[in-house]
Amino acid sequence: MDAFVLLGSFLVLMIIGMPVAYALGLSALIGAWWIELPYDAVMIAIAGGVNKFSLLAIPFFVLAGAIMAEGGMSRRLVAFAEVLVGFVRGGLSLVNILASTFFGAISGSSMADTASIGSVLIPEMEKKGYPRDFATAVTVSGSVQAILIPPSHNAVIYSLAAGGSVSIAALFLAGVLPGLLLGLTLAIMCLFIAKKRDFPKGRSIPMKEALRICVDALWGLMTMVIILGGILSGVFTATESAAIAVLWAFFVTMFIYRDYKWSELPKLVHRTVKTLAIVMILIGFAASFGYIMTLMQIPTMITGLFTSISDNKYTVLLMINILLLVLGTLMDMAPLILIMTPILLPIVKTMGVDPVHFGMIMMVNLGMGLITPPVGGVLFVGAAVAKLPIEKVVKALFPFFGALLLVLMAVTYIPALSLWLPGLLLK
């Protein structure tokens, strides 16, 4: 009955249209009332949820990504990717995917990736003879890399949802190979489609121009080196690397590229703060919701349910994948990580699944949810940038869903994809 009251009230509040964050907070209060827990305890749980030093990584990474996105970095990364792969048949689709790889390693955000890369490449691809819906599908699916490749904001949220027991540095490293595998899988599929549909070849860029483009992009690409290099060398933590990344992004944008006006900076900071306020409210209310779930022993009950169905690790992981894929289409990624991690992590840990590995499984699953209707935030951004109906973009996405499912199966059943790099570099 306890679980019915807490989860039922949350679902009812969601159905009537209440924002997820407020639905979490209010259902936590309803749950506290039901079990006769003082409301002070709920307030303490909310405050404790956001009073964590590691959470500072989120605002810093978001701000660094916003500065680089609006400061001309996306245009330079597209040009750099074109130097590397733009000359082959269907080359612009490969440029799109590779630019997403680079930009994801700076912004850590799929939405920022889709908006920035899409605004540059979707019109360009259409002009060169690619269907607009195909260009949008490439952009949207390629942006899922940003969830996996460091510095992923969602990896920080997963670490928080796991009670801080999972290293952010380990999660960052764990996302590198799955992210690159995703990009490679999409690229191979695009090459196949390009040959089948006879898409145009790109131009070969002269050496002198290529060198200028590479040097121009190098300043922004150094952000990746600063973040990962600093963490791996032990010079600073993941949180401190985020702060350094902001300083570097500001320096490159305002003093090297100089495409951004100083007068626009306050507006950028204001937009970033608004975004972060929503995220922090969500994290605080999700912490109180998780606290009430723990008191009601809901995670223990769900663990018992899964293990009663099967004690085979691979079967349980398949069931969890199906569950997360369905939930990912109905709710945004961050609240799902905060809600489902405390429930599912104990299940997989009892079966010997490493928490870092499971984090990557969650990222790929919920990343697919971001590009799937009816609540695919990245899908909506891509359709808005391309000025296309959602239905047309979804139809073009069907082959890309297949590629993403292949990557999901590989990440789920080949733990070394997630664990090899952390094991090698964080000994």
Side-chain angles (χ1 to χ4, degrees), residues 78-87 95 205 209-211 213-214:
V78 167
F80 179 58
E82 190 172 6
V83 169
L84 298 178
V85 296
F87 55 88
V95 169
I205 299 174
E209 184 184 352
L211 286 174
I213 290 170
C214 292

Side-chain angles (χ1 to χ4, degrees), residues 61-244:
F61 280 135
V62 170
L63 182 58
I67 292 171
M68 297 298 271
E70 298 191 23
M73 188 65 237
S74 56
R75 175 169 49 83
R76 289 171 171 86
L77 289 177
V78 167
F80 179 58
E82 190 172 6
V83 169
L84 298 178
V85 296
F87 55 88
V88 301
R89 183 170 301 282
L92 270 184
S93 59
L94 302 189
V95 169
N96 195 320
I97 293 165
L98 189 58
S100 288
T101 307
F102 292 141
F103 191 77
I106 293 171
S107 71
S109 166
S110 290
M111 286 195 183
D113 190 325
T114 297
S116 300
I117 301 298
S119 61
V120 176
L121 271 176
I122 291 175
E124 182 67 16
M125 289 178 72
E126 185 180 32
K127 189 167 69 175
K128 293 293 172 62
Y130 295 79
R132 179 170 278 253
D133 57 347
F134 173 79
T136 308
V138 173
T139 305
V140 167
S141 58
S143 71
V144 176
Q145 294 175 94
I147 293 165
L148 299 167
I149 295 173
S152 168
H153 312 153
N154 292 291
V156 179
I157 294 174
Y158 173 78
S159 175
L160 169 74
S165 60
V166 184
S167 163
I168 295 174
L171 289 168
F172 279 2
L173 288 173
V176 173
L177 290 182
L180 294 178
L181 175 64
L182 173 58
L184 179 63
T185 305
L186 292 174
I188 292 171
M189 193 187 69
C190 284
L191 285 173
F192 175 77
I193 294 174
K195 185 177 180 180
K196 185 178 179 182
R197 299 171 68 174
D198 197 27
F199 287 154
K201 287 186 177 181
R203 68 185 181 104
S204 295
I205 299 174
M207 181 61 71
K208 186 176 180 180
E209 184 184 352
L211 286 174
R212 180 188 60 78
I213 290 170
C214 292
V215 171
D216 204 23
L218 188 62
W219 291 99
L221 293 172
M222 278 298 294
T223 310
M224 296 184 291
V225 178
I226 290 170
I227 293 169
L228 278 181
I231 294 171
L232 295 177
S233 64
V235 175
F236 37 71
T237 66
T239 303
E240 291 163 348
S241 76
I244 301 296

Side-chain angles (χ1 to χ4, degrees), residues 319-341:
M319 290 191 294
I320 288 175
N321 276 335
I322 294 170
L323 174 65
L324 290 175
L325 285 172
V326 172
L327 291 176
T329 66
L330 302 174
M331 196 184 300
D332 202 11
M333 186 170 190
L336 273 176
I337 292 173
L338 291 164
I339 294 168
M340 298 308 296
T341 300

